[in-house]
Amino acid sequence: MESITMEQSSLSLDLSVGSHWLSHQPMKATRNSNAITSGESKSKEVVNLRAELNRMNEENERLSEMLQNMCEKYSALQSQMMDIMSESGSEGGSAAPETSPEKKRKRHNSKTQNEIVSNAMDQSISSDECLKPIKDDQIKSKITKVYVQTNPSDTSLIVKDGYQWRKYGQKVTRDNPCPRAYFRCSFAPTCQVKKKVQRSAENQSIVEVTYEGEHTHNAPTSQSDTPKVKNNVVANFVPVSKPVTDEHIINIKKKPHLDFDLSATPPAELQYQLVEQMASSLTKDPGFTAALASAISGKILSFSPN
DNA sequence: CGAGTTTGACCAGCGC
DNA sequence: GCGCTGGTCAAACTCG
């Protein structure tokens, strides 16, 4: 992903050079405008408009190329990740030492969980480093990790997932300046499911939700079952009805329609499908491409003098 | 007034 | 054994 970012910035630089050159063409024309007639001024306007159109087309082409490059790199990295996942799936698992997850200290786990977030964002990391946290997750049964993208300006740690949670603690951890909130399922008195919610240290727009245990009751179907909270609810996401050991980044602003069964799909395939669907929904979404274009043009403006 | 949240205190595991 | 850290408890507090 780092390489993509680098490429993005270099492309943006190229764009800025192009836009800079183009934006100076009409200025040159206006310097000579004293000697031209009204008919000529109209044709000058047309020339300017054409230049503008050319510039827009050029930018459009470059953006399309960039998007295509991003998609290509994305699929390459995705297949690479799937290879790593399948390797770790065949190696790990049964070799785990028999320890009680409840009594085991979780400091190292929380650290590797944060590494997972950075792994997702930094594709330059080696496969060995990538394997380790995945193995740890496979050792721990009934642990679900979900990443929810939220508005970074919102500071609350309320994640609306359809279940009813009671907060029983909050702690600032060593690896992350953002506090971690501890919740218990209060939907049923017998339900022992817990969840930890913490913003990612690297990207505070991403909230890391860790579920421990399995619900002993049916999943509530209505959003009205969610807890009544004082703070504003900042995130909604598709409820995970069955614990899985994969990480899912779910963009709650554009809640993707999942046309596959979460509970019936194997974890690796599930992740692949999720990633695939999210990627396609993003690339197809004109809003996303428009936002991308506006972000890049903003960068162009910041590079171009005056 | 009851349910939920906040927050400081406490406990237990781990490394040195 | 001691200190550090994550996880939990529970009294005080808030809100509808």
Side-chain angles (χ1 to χ4, degrees), chain A residues 97-162:
Chain A
E98 205 59 46
T99 52
S100 166
E102 287 290 69
K103 290 288 172 188
K104 204 76 181 169
R105 195 176 170 184
K106 293 165 185 174
R107 192 173 66 189
H108 298 298
N109 285 325
S110 70
K111 189 177 180 180
T112 53
Q113 282 160 6
N114 283 336
E115 283 168 3
I116 292 167
V117 177
S118 59
N119 287 351
M121 295 168 181
D122 185 0
Q123 297 288 343
S124 63
I125 200 157
S126 75
S127 59
D128 286 347
E129 285 171 311
C130 209
L131 279 174
K132 200 176 176 183
I134 291 166
K135 278 183 182 174
D136 286 350
D137 273 356
Q138 284 174 341
I139 290 164
K140 284 194 163 192
S141 61
K142 295 170 186 175
I143 294 218
T144 310
K145 279 178 69 63
V146 177
Y147 297 106
V148 183
Q149 190 166 356
T150 67
N151 188 344
S153 61
D154 291 318
T155 54
S156 85
L157 287 168
I158 307 297
V159 176
K160 201 173 176 182
D161 57 4

Side-chain angles (χ1 to χ4, degrees), chain A residues 123-303:
Chain A
Q123 297 288 343
S124 63
I125 200 157
S126 75
S127 59
D128 286 347
E129 285 171 311
C130 209
L131 279 174
K132 200 176 176 183
I134 291 166
K135 278 183 182 174
D136 286 350
D137 273 356
Q138 284 174 341
I139 290 164
K140 284 194 163 192
S141 61
K142 295 170 186 175
I143 294 218
T144 310
K145 279 178 69 63
V146 177
Y147 297 106
V148 183
Q149 190 166 356
T150 67
N151 188 344
S153 61
D154 291 318
T155 54
S156 85
L157 287 168
I158 307 297
V159 176
K160 201 173 176 182
D161 57 4
Y163 289 97
Q164 192 172 339
W165 299 96
R166 180 190 173 87
K167 189 178 181 180
Y168 65 89
Q170 183 167 316
K171 196 91 176 174
V172 175
T173 57
R174 194 187 57 171
D175 302 319
N176 194 336
C178 304
R180 176 185 297 168
Y182 300 90
F183 296 89
R184 259 193 210 103
C185 182
S186 61
F187 190 77
T190 53
C191 187
Q192 297 295 313
V193 179
K194 294 172 188 173
K195 79 169 177 181
K196 292 179 279 189
V197 181
Q198 188 174 31
R199 289 192 176 275
S200 166
E202 289 86 359
N203 184 355
Q204 298 202 357
S205 65
I206 291 176
V207 173
E208 185 182 320
V209 187
T210 307
Y211 295 89
E212 290 180 26
E214 242 171 334
H215 291 281
T216 58
H217 52 85
N218 293 330
T221 52
S222 131
Q223 290 289 355
S224 62
D225 291 327
T226 53
K228 295 180 179 73
V229 293
K230 281 186 283 184
N231 300 330
N232 290 334
V233 169
V234 298
N236 292 302
F237 71 101
V238 182
V240 179
S241 58
K242 182 181 176 182
V244 291
T245 54
D246 304 301
E247 297 78 36
H248 315 298
I249 299 174
I250 299 169
N251 187 339
I252 54 105
K253 290 169 191 167
K254 297 198 173 295
K255 201 185 314 186
H257 169 66
L258 305 173
D259 53 13
F260 47 83
D261 185 9
L262 280 172
S263 59
T265 316
E269 199 183 333
L270 172 67
Q271 182 168 17
Y272 181 82
Q273 286 178 336
L274 271 166
V275 168
E276 191 72 47
Q277 188 153 16
M278 285 170 64
S280 67
S281 67
L282 281 174
T283 50
K284 282 173 192 169
D285 186 358
F288 171 72
T289 49
L292 182 66
S294 105
I296 290 164
S297 45
K299 196 147 189 171
I300 290 165
L301 287 172
S302 70
F303 273 117

Side-chain angles (χ1 to χ4, degrees), chain A residues 16-28 51-52 55 300-301 304-306:
Chain A
S16 73
V17 171
S19 302
H20 181 224
W21 181 83
L22 283 162
S23 64
H24 277 66
Q25 301 313 302
M27 286 173 67
K28 282 180 189 171
E52 183 73 13
R55 187 177 69 83
I300 290 165
L301 287 172
S304 76
N306 303 325

